[in-house]
Amino acid sequence: MGIKLEQVGYCYQKNSPFEKRALTDVNVTFETGSYTAVIGHTGSGKSTLVQHLNALLLPTEGKITLFDREMIAGVKQKKLRDIRRRVGIVFQFPEAQLFEETVLKDIIFGPLNFGATKEEAEKRAREVIQEVGLSEAILERSPFELSGGQKRRVAIAGVLAMDPEVLVLDEPTAGLDPHGRSEIMEMFYDLHEQKNLTTILVTHSMEDAARYAEKIVLMKDGTVNQIGEPREIFAESEKLLNLGLLVPEVVRFQRDFERKFNVKLSKICLNMDELLHEILPFLGKDASGL
């Protein structure tokens, strides 16, 4: 079943003069092995939602089922270490969390904290450093001597070293240039496929949501506004625009083409190959040379 949220609500500083509601009546399931994108305007509750997925936050209302554990609002929870090992979160600018004197010590910190022996943790570090596209030679260097992109990969390696079953990515490409963003997102997708991870991506990039996700959860005002496949979500481009969200560039191009030529393509296209295939019949016999 993976992770299931039922009527989940959350208030920061509940029952205080500073109480602030962040989530209301959230119902969503993240199936094992799935890739889900969570989208929504700033302040819609995305980051609060994903912090419930490894019990960093506990619901003030409702129930969350994490694997075989039930987290019920008002019920005190103990022994959360296993959940936090099984659900790894990569936050925005994860490199800011680096603190040890060498890359190796930074990566093994998590596994050691969760009970691995030093030998096991170091073996795992040598594996994950290659999984994030870096060489073992970097393990003896100070993380503070690395480039920004290398630091981010080291921080991600620290999460992967705990061998999570669920990988939560909270705006993992923030601050990267387009090339760096593409490399990191492809790396995450390869890991998702190779390890059969349950991947949950919080993103403002509709291109990334369209390219990688099997399902999209649209958040608005602290609750789930819509759940659907990317084609279904992006078919309602006007709705997204009204929520302050863009649609992928290829969808915008498709809508412009349909309006200009007064036609309706057979489906919402999520990449340029699909779009070209759909519009060629409308371009006449000379289109075969494109």
Side-chain angles (χ1 to χ4, degrees), residues 68-85:
D68 55 351
R69 286 280 302 272
E70 288 189 345
M71 323 293 277
I72 300 172
V75 177
K76 190 171 182 180
Q77 301 293 329
K78 298 179 180 179
K79 299 181 180 179
L80 298 173
R81 286 163 57 90
D82 187 56
I83 286 175
R84 290 171 180 163
R85 182 197 63 77

Side-chain angles (χ1 to χ4, degrees), residues 33-143:
S34 63
Y35 196 127
T36 304
V38 181
I39 65 173
H41 198 271
T42 301
S44 62
K46 305 185 300 297
S47 291
T48 301
L49 169 65
V50 297
Q51 287 181 62
H52 282 76
L53 304 184
N54 78 341
L56 282 177
L57 296 178
L58 299 174
T60 53
E61 299 150 21
K63 179 177 76 172
I64 303 175
T65 305
L66 294 165
F67 310 110
D68 55 351
R69 286 280 302 272
E70 288 189 345
M71 323 293 277
I72 300 172
V75 177
K76 190 171 182 180
Q77 301 293 329
K78 298 179 180 179
K79 299 181 180 179
L80 298 173
R81 286 163 57 90
D82 187 56
I83 286 175
R84 290 171 180 163
R85 182 197 63 77
R86 296 172 72 181
V87 182
I89 298 184
V90 177
F91 291 102
Q92 291 186 46
F93 305 106
E95 60 272 21
Q97 301 168 49
L98 300 175
F99 64 94
E100 286 283 7
E101 60 187 20
T102 67
V103 169
L104 176 63
K105 288 182 178 180
D106 229 306
I107 294 175
I108 69 175
F109 178 84
L112 291 176
N113 196 42
F114 283 96
T117 66
K118 187 176 181 182
E119 182 181 4
E120 291 169 339
E122 290 185 354
K123 179 176 182 293
R124 186 71 185 127
R126 287 190 290 273
E127 293 170 350
V128 297
I129 202 66
Q130 295 180 63
E131 290 176 358
V132 299
L134 299 174
S135 72
E136 285 190 40
I138 210 169
L139 290 172
E140 299 307 319
R141 294 179 61 184
S142 165

Side-chain angles (χ1 to χ4, degrees), residues 179-222:
H179 179 70
R181 185 183 76 192
S182 177
E183 284 191 337
I184 290 290
M185 290 306 302
E186 284 295 314
M187 181 192 75
F188 282 131
Y189 189 73
D190 288 344
L191 289 167
H192 168 78
E193 291 284 289
Q194 294 164 10
K195 297 176 177 291
N196 193 33
L197 296 172
T198 303
T199 303
I200 301 160
L201 170 69
V202 175
T203 184
H204 282 98
S205 170
M206 299 303 104
E207 272 71 21
D208 287 345
R211 180 177 178 83
Y212 299 107
E214 303 159 7
K215 180 174 72 175
I216 292 177
V217 176
L218 173 59
M219 299 287 293
K220 179 188 177 186
D221 298 331

